[in-house]
Amino acid sequence: MIVYVASYPRSGNALVRSLIQLNWAYLTTSDAMIDLDVVARFNPRYDISPHKSNPTLASFKRDDQSAIRNMLAPAVPLPTPMRRSLAKSPEIFFVKTHEWPRLPSFEGEKVIQIVRHPGDAILSEQQLKKDIRDKHAELTSIILGNEGYGCWSAYHGAWSAVSIPKLTLKFEEVAEDNETAVRQMAEFLGLPVPEQITHSPFEAAHAKNPTRNPVKRLDAWRKMEPDLRELLKRQHAETGRLFGYEF
């Protein structure tokens, strides 16, 4: 089974992947170009190595467990025949993605679709571009979908329309209630609910990487200039309201 952990950038993807890792010891492959050494460096409790016979996979084991699991190797593309094969597998392969759905879809593919208010996601993306990439991006351009991964509404419209089993998680709710999110994922994925659910507190993520995890801000979009708020509403209110967001 392939489980896509899909979100527009700056929408809580890392939080959801952290909960998956902490509670079920699964690592998630990114569809970005990341080396296996980088994966190992960010996961020091895991023994990670190339698969012995399949170069498209990597094997991993957490230091307190005996089970060896497989993941899609970083930087390996997902062509259609490979997706079909992995989707049929009894193993679970988690794939982080900010990309649109891959078509055609296959039985055995699922998606955890993470949404965040478009205003807050867009403000956070602008700040990240400034802090990490030293790149100035106008809010107007990001709102219109002219930067990075494109339009927030088009992205979520595409994932909402794809015909595979789907669990939608709102970042705002997951951030406030890790336990409910873990229980929802357990039911969706057919995984056991841990006897003691492990939380992923924001404070720990902020201490580990304050640039990528700045001070948690909800409803920061309300402080946008009036013309930007009006543009945000025109571009994204129709889709945003489908997820319960107000403008």
Side-chain angles (χ1 to χ4, degrees), residues 28-86:
T28 304
T29 302
S30 172
D31 62 3
M33 301 293 284
I34 297 178
D35 186 86
L36 195 60
D37 291 338
V38 176
V39 177
R41 189 165 69 248
F42 278 94
N43 297 280
R45 291 191 60 190
Y46 288 78
D47 179 14
I48 306 172
S49 61
H51 192 276
K52 292 182 179 179
S53 60
N54 188 337
T56 65
L57 300 180
S59 299
F60 64 92
K61 181 178 75 69
R62 199 165 72 181
D63 58 14
D64 62 347
Q65 297 187 348
S66 59
I68 297 176
R69 290 170 170 166
N70 295 312
M71 62 189 292
L72 187 69
V76 171
L78 262 178
T80 298
M82 183 185 296
R83 284 197 299 116
R84 184 188 291 112
S85 175
L86 294 180

Side-chain angles (χ1 to χ4, degrees), residues 178-190:
N178 286 188
E179 185 165 332
T180 295
V182 170
R183 293 183 181 278
Q184 290 175 320
M185 288 191 285
E187 181 178 2
F188 178 65
L189 300 171

Side-chain angles (χ1 to χ4, degrees), residues 170-182:
K170 293 175 70 173
F171 165 74
E172 296 84 356
E173 296 173 353
V174 178
E176 295 301 319
D177 186 359
N178 286 188
E179 185 165 332
T180 295
V182 170

Side-chain angles (χ1 to χ4, degrees), residues 38-166:
V38 176
V39 177
R41 189 165 69 248
F42 278 94
N43 297 280
R45 291 191 60 190
Y46 288 78
D47 179 14
I48 306 172
S49 61
H51 192 276
K52 292 182 179 179
S53 60
N54 188 337
T56 65
L57 300 180
S59 299
F60 64 92
K61 181 178 75 69
R62 199 165 72 181
D63 58 14
D64 62 347
Q65 297 187 348
S66 59
I68 297 176
R69 290 170 170 166
N70 295 312
M71 62 189 292
L72 187 69
V76 171
L78 262 178
T80 298
M82 183 185 296
R83 284 197 299 116
R84 184 188 291 112
S85 175
L86 294 180
K88 292 180 180 178
S89 172
E91 293 187 271
I92 304 178
F93 296 91
F94 288 94
V95 178
K96 169 204 170 181
T97 185
H98 295 316
E99 301 289 350
W100 287 30
R102 296 169 171 85
L103 299 174
S105 56
F106 299 108
E107 183 177 354
E109 290 184 304
K110 294 185 175 185
V111 59
I112 299 173
Q113 181 181 356
I114 310 158
V115 296
R116 183 183 187 184
H117 192 287
D120 285 342
I122 286 166
L123 284 169
S124 183
E125 176 67 1
Q126 183 199 39
Q127 189 64 45
L128 186 71
K129 287 178 181 293
K130 177 182 176 181
D131 291 345
I132 291 183
R133 302 177 185 129
D134 194 25
K135 177 182 177 183
H136 177 70
E138 295 288 346
L139 275 177
T140 298
S141 184
I142 305 177
I143 292 171
L144 292 172
N146 296 330
E147 299 278 341
Y149 289 93
C151 173
W152 184 94
S153 290
Y155 178 87
H156 283 298
W159 275 107
S160 295
V162 71
S163 57
I164 62 176
K166 185 182 300 88

